[in-house]
Amino acid sequence: MKMINVVLSTNGEQVMCCSHIWLQPYAPDTTRSFRFTGILFKKTTAFDCADKISVRISMLNRKLEDVFYIQFGVFVFDYRESGIDELWIDGLVCDSDEIAYRQGIIDVFDFWQRGQSFDWFSEPINSLLKRDYIVACSMYSGLNTQLLDKDIYEIDISLIKEQRDFFYLASITFIGDRAYLGHDFHSFTDCWIDIYRDNGWFNNKKVRLLNTNAIHDPAVSSLISEAETFFRSYKFSVELVS
């Protein structure tokens, strides 16, 4: 299913749309190279060198709505086609939004677009792609306050090597795949305010934290202790399993 929508325009007229964009990560000078694939529409003569094109990127969310991500301009220095489904544009990026373009967000949506899952635990500690995955989940799912229907929510602490792992595990444990439940403890607690507003107290629910003896990072240990107190404050019963 197409989940990424990239539209190129010049002089206010749409000249191309496609389903993937890739930014070459390294550049020898101030120009940047973008590769566009999955081309769905392209005018025969799309643009010329020295044109300024506008690139608008949006994604499809879980409600099948188009969610705006970013728009920026490229002053074209060169362009080249590779077959019928690939176009490269080299140029200067200009007129960018206040947010930064991040290839990792596009890559995560492309995983989903191709029917693949993101392998969170294959990523190294402090991976930027983990951060981008959480942002992508926020764009795709927003905050879903409907918890999975379980009596016991289990989180395997042995999988947590850094604090961000906890928020990923909590999101899939309580809400499910591609869910967003915060990226730090502050945003995590903010999410639960809305969840509580829609659900009330969780007197009949349990959180079971497994392999608690596997924590070696003091920061993770502190986070788990804080999370235990937090869950109890929402009337979950909490069980710690060594």
Side-chain angles (χ1 to χ4, degrees):
M1 179 178 67
K2 178 175 173 288
M3 298 184 68
I4 305 170
N5 188 36
V6 185
V7 176
L8 279 66
S9 303
T10 184
N11 299 319
E13 181 183 8
Q14 185 179 124
V15 294
M16 193 177 89
C17 60
C18 61
S19 62
H20 192 259
I21 177 174
W22 181 75
L23 172 63
Q24 193 172 42
Y26 304 107
D29 51 36
T30 56
T31 63
R32 303 308 306 270
S33 295
F34 291 91
R35 182 182 68 198
F36 301 89
T37 54
I39 297 172
L40 306 171
F41 159 78
K42 180 169 70 69
K43 293 187 67 175
T44 304
T45 305
F47 44 79
D48 295 306
C49 292
D51 277 352
K52 184 175 129 179
I53 62 171
S54 173
V55 180
R56 186 186 189 278
I57 305 172
S58 59
M59 280 81 157
L60 207 65
N61 69 9
R62 65 185 177 90
K63 297 178 180 179
L64 305 183
E65 300 165 335
D66 217 31
V67 179
F68 174 74
Y69 167 40
I70 193 172
Q71 183 164 325
F72 56 90
V74 178
F75 187 80
V76 180
F77 282 10
D78 191 19
Y79 66 93
R80 56 200 180 277
E81 296 185 62
S82 301
I84 61 173
D85 193 46
E86 183 173 286
L87 175 72
W88 284 86
I89 295 178
D90 304 328
L92 291 176
V93 176
C94 56
D95 300 333
S96 181
D97 287 339
E98 293 182 357
I99 62 172
Y101 173 92
R102 290 203 55 83
Q103 185 61 47
I105 296 172
I106 302 293
D107 291 343
V108 171
F109 271 90
D110 190 50
F111 291 147
W112 298 337
Q113 187 168 249
R114 291 184 283 121
Q116 298 178 356
S117 297
F118 179 70
D119 188 357
W120 177 277
F121 292 106
S122 71
E123 292 296 313
I125 292 176
N126 295 321
S127 162
L128 292 178
L129 193 53
K130 285 184 176 182
R131 182 187 70 176
D132 291 338
Y133 177 84
I134 292 175
V135 174
C137 286
S138 176
M139 294 175 61
Y140 179 77
S141 296
L143 175 59
N144 183 359
T145 61
Q146 184 63 49
L147 301 189
L148 295 175
D149 187 15
K150 300 179 183 178
D151 294 325
I152 301 174
Y153 299 91
E154 293 186 336
I155 298 177
D156 186 350
I157 304 304
S158 68
L159 296 173
I160 300 176
K161 309 305 180 188
E162 59 176 314
Q163 293 192 36
R164 195 177 286 150
D165 294 342
F166 170 78
F167 303 110
Y168 167 76
L169 287 170
S171 69
I172 62 173
T173 298
F174 287 98
I175 304 177
D177 189 35
R178 305 184 190 179
Y180 175 76
L181 200 56
H183 58 274
D184 56 22
F185 202 78
H186 178 74
S187 56
F188 178 73
T189 56
D190 280 349
C191 290
W192 279 97
I193 292 173
D194 287 337
I195 292 171
Y196 165 74
R197 186 180 297 123
D198 289 352
N199 295 273
W201 300 115
F202 298 95
N203 296 283
N204 300 317
K205 303 290 186 179
K206 175 184 284 190
V207 175
R208 181 178 288 152
L209 303 176
L210 306 175
N211 299 313
T212 54
N213 60 339
I215 304 174
H216 302 295
D217 185 334
V220 173
S221 179
S222 176
L223 173 65
I224 298 306
S225 178
E226 197 171 5
E228 178 189 355
T229 301
F230 174 82
F231 287 130
R232 294 188 192 279
S233 74
Y234 278 91
K235 310 303 183 185
F236 285 99
S237 62
V238 180
E239 180 183 1
L240 305 181
V241 181
S242 299

